[in-house]
Amino acid sequence: MKSLWLLLINEISKDSTLAQNQLVNSGQYDDLFRASAYDDPDILILRWLRARKFDADAAVRQLIDTLKWRREWGVDKLIANGEKELVEDELLTDKSYFLGKDRENRPVIYIHAKDHIKDEFPVHATQKLAILSVETGRKLLEYPTETVTIVIDMNGFSMSNMDYQLVKFFIFLLENHYPESLGLALILHAPFIFQSCWSIIRHWLDPVVEAKIRFIRHVDDLQEYIHSNSIPRRLNGTHPDYHYIPPTDEDLKILKEFHNDKQGRKIVRANHRKAMQIYLDLTLKWAKGDDSVIEQRKQATKQLRDTFEKLVPYFQTRTSYHRAGIIHEPIFDTVYHKICANKESNIVEF
């Protein structure tokens, strides 16, 4: 881990013209710490280290590629605009959603293949939905759980539902930019016609990922992996079926207030960058062998998380899962009330 941090800091910093104490102004550091979000950054980069079989050089190369991909794809912009960036009619299909946890406490995402019609919606829009789903799923993880379970319901599947381009994109996401995120994949009700599709798809999979895939013949066998109260009724579970909840006028009003609060955004961004710099300074000392800073680094990790939390309302949005009470982030209400209370003076204190 120490070697990885040294390589990563060197890789990000080597082309920078900034002084050492200004390196957090480098765009890639911004990207790195926004990508780590609430997580301990060690946990984030450990994913790449494990995925590359503890080859630190390979892990750093892949992580740098991911930071570049996030910027090129506009992942932060997608997260900031949330469901506004997506096609509402596609969200209303309810073809994919998180619901409950499996028996290993992993969040479960259900995908109903028959509800996805190839070319019904623009490819780029569906790819955005896939990325936002992965980013949203991270908020459902509870330490020490780091992975999710995917249930793919093939009931009613026909070749009009087979979208090789989308499947390949999703595999690309999991293997390259969200490594070590998949705990288990359950494919339910796969019809005979899917066998030829699977013979193509399996060649795109890393053997480690393929080993996590199980085919289930009967719907009731899902309960071997997932409690009934985390299985929707449409799959013989006891949990009410999921339905997308569109944003209300009040949601849109709150979102506008966050976007208009330029001063508040400036303050929280500066505080987060200060926490980033402290964390990087301590991490560099620790990585070079100074173990006396271990406790300070733990405190810096907590400060990094706390300052990121205050950043969330300005750079992310609530989702259907927030409106349904599945994701709880009280910071949205806390900051909104502060903005309202201080609107006339245009001062927000944290």
Side-chain angles (χ1 to χ4, degrees):
M1 180 65 76
K2 289 180 177 180
S3 297
L4 182 59
W5 269 113
L6 288 174
L7 287 168
L8 181 60
I9 291 172
N10 180 66
E11 185 65 28
I12 293 179
S13 306
K14 67 181 181 181
D15 295 326
S16 177
T17 58
L18 299 171
Q20 181 67 36
N21 64 353
Q22 296 177 317
L23 284 176
V24 292
N25 292 317
S26 164
Q28 283 191 319
Y29 279 123
D30 254 347
D31 296 339
L32 173 65
F33 287 103
R34 286 196 199 172
S36 64
Y38 289 109
D39 289 342
D40 181 332
D42 282 348
I43 294 175
L44 176 78
I45 66 173
L46 184 58
R47 290 177 181 271
W48 273 268
L49 195 57
R50 289 197 303 253
R52 297 298 171 260
K53 299 176 175 58
F54 292 89
D55 180 335
D57 288 304
V60 167
R61 285 195 299 272
Q62 187 59 58
L63 182 49
I64 292 295
D65 283 347
T66 293
L67 297 180
K68 291 178 179 176
W69 168 82
R70 290 178 69 91
R71 179 154 291 209
E72 291 167 0
W73 235 92
V75 174
D76 284 341
K77 178 175 180 289
L78 171 61
I79 295 171
N81 291 329
E83 292 159 350
K84 286 175 59 181
E85 284 277 311
L86 307 179
V87 177
E88 186 173 54
D89 284 347
E90 186 166 21
L91 290 169
L92 290 168
T93 65
D94 295 334
K95 62 184 176 184
S96 67
Y97 52 85
F98 283 95
L99 192 155
K101 304 286 180 71
D102 71 4
R103 292 183 182 271
E104 300 296 326
N105 202 40
R106 293 178 291 230
V108 181
I109 183 169
Y110 291 89
I111 299 173
H112 300 285
K114 74 177 182 60
D115 295 325
H116 174 77
I117 309 298
K118 187 178 183 301
D119 298 328
E120 181 180 16
F121 302 103
V123 172
H124 197 61
T126 305
Q127 290 174 337
K128 285 183 178 181
L129 173 59
I131 294 171
L132 191 61
S133 294
V134 176
E135 289 287 338
T136 301
R138 294 177 61 194
K139 296 192 176 191
L140 295 167
L141 296 172
E142 295 179 5
Y143 182 81
T145 303
E146 296 181 24
T147 59
V148 303
T149 288
I150 299 174
V151 176
I152 304 176
D153 171 27
M154 304 291 292
N155 187 38
F157 171 86
S158 70
M159 290 308 295
S160 66
N161 309 121
M162 189 63 247
D163 193 334
Y164 287 112
Q165 184 178 3
L166 182 60
V167 171
K168 203 167 190 176
F169 179 76
F170 196 66
I171 292 170
F172 165 78
L173 286 183
L174 289 180
E175 293 188 355
N176 292 282
H177 300 312
Y178 298 93
E180 299 292 303
S181 294
L182 177 65
L184 180 67
L186 304 173
I187 301 178
L188 175 66
H189 292 141
F192 180 78
I193 193 176
F194 182 68
Q195 290 184 13
S196 60
C197 304
W198 177 244
S199 67
I200 295 172
I201 294 169
R202 69 183 305 176
H203 290 298
W204 299 337
L205 295 168
D206 183 286
V208 174
V209 174
E210 185 179 357
K212 297 177 180 179
I213 298 173
R214 307 279 188 278
F215 283 84
I216 297 179
R217 189 180 298 268
H218 301 294
V219 67
D220 290 340
D221 292 338
L222 269 181
Q223 296 190 34
E224 177 184 344
Y225 303 94
I226 307 169
H227 292 288
S228 178
N229 60 9
S230 286
I231 300 174
R233 288 172 182 161
R234 65 188 292 180
L235 293 178
N236 288 2
T238 60
H239 197 290
D241 290 337
Y242 171 87
H243 294 292
Y244 171 70
I245 304 173
T248 64
D249 290 341
E250 182 67 15
D251 290 323
L252 298 176
K253 176 185 173 184
I254 292 173
L255 181 61
K256 186 176 180 180
E257 289 288 352
F258 289 137
H259 283 180
N260 289 340
D261 184 23
K262 309 299 183 185
Q263 181 65 15
R265 179 189 298 257
K266 182 179 178 180
I267 291 170
V268 296
R269 188 172 186 178
N271 288 342
H272 187 238
R273 281 185 164 174
K274 181 179 178 182
M276 286 163 52
Q277 185 68 61
I278 293 170
Y279 180 86
L280 283 169
D281 290 344
L282 291 169
T283 294
L284 197 55
K285 290 179 182 178
W286 168 75
K288 288 181 176 179
D290 185 357
D291 287 341
S292 69
V293 301
I294 288 177
E295 286 303 317
Q296 288 176 270
R297 188 168 180 264
K298 287 180 181 178
Q299 290 302 312
T301 302
K302 181 179 182 303
Q303 183 66 16
L304 195 62
R305 186 191 184 284
D306 290 345
T307 55
F308 176 81
E309 183 180 36
K310 293 183 175 67
L311 198 68
V312 165
Y314 295 97
F315 291 93
Q316 298 185 15
T317 63
R318 283 177 164 144
T319 65
S320 179
Y321 301 104
H322 291 82
R323 295 187 284 275
I326 296 170
I327 294 178
H328 303 278
E329 286 186 293
I331 191 65
F332 280 96
D333 288 328
T334 300
V335 175
Y336 176 64
H337 292 321
K338 285 185 177 180
I339 290 173
C340 292
N342 295 286
K343 196 170 183 181
E344 289 185 8
S345 60
N346 197 32
I347 297 176
V348 180
E349 298 179 356
F350 292 92

